[in-house]
Amino acid sequence: CGFGRLPIGMMQVFDSINYLGIDVYKPSIDWCNRFIGKQRAEINFIHLNLKNDRYNNKGRKINDSFHFPIESKSQNLVYLYSVFSHMQLEEMRKYLIDFKRILKNGGGVFFTTFAEKDVPDYTINPEGYIFKKFSGPLHVVRYNIDFLLNEIEKSGFKIMKIFYSTETDKQTGFYIKSSNEK
């Protein structure tokens, strides 16, 4: 959830929202609990103490038994802004697998990441790409779009819509649903 960009915007529009923000970066969770969570009881934030070379070096490594601390079939939407763009490939795969578990029937996932044609399948901090200089590990994880679409489909999702390079840093948005859904 980062520093609460989505719930801050939602609070301006909706009288009531049921929102759970999760992040591996504890300072963002602390900030959100202090400045957002106290305002609305239906907005909650939890720290997921997982290892991430960029945001949480001391967390536990994601293994094959990984599950979000969320009930099965309980979520309408999973929203990840610039999360897969800072994660290892195997971690992204594990997230996608568990999203299928936590989504209600008809639920979907929206995420952004760096994805392009005619590039290697998966590259961390690709030389000469967008930023003149990278600020540490996993600053940019870029996917070949066809490779990423294949990963999404292998995880049991279908692509509903792609928003090519629409974000300010040229990330592409993806809206996906379980391939069992119409």
Side-chain angles (χ1 to χ4, degrees), residues 4 6 27 39 43 51 59 70 121 129 132 145 161 166 181:
L6 182 61
Q39 295 180 36
I43 300 175
K51 181 170 177 37
I70 298 172
D121 289 349
Y129 184 66
K132 292 183 179 171
I145 196 157
K161 187 151 184 161
T166 53
E181 302 290 327

Side-chain angles (χ1 to χ4, degrees), residues 136-154:
L138 298 176
H139 185 174
V140 169
V141 174
R142 180 183 66 190
Y143 295 91
N144 175 293
I145 196 157
D146 294 323
F147 173 80
L148 181 59
L149 295 176
N150 186 53
E151 289 293 321
I152 292 166
E153 290 174 0
K154 281 191 326 192

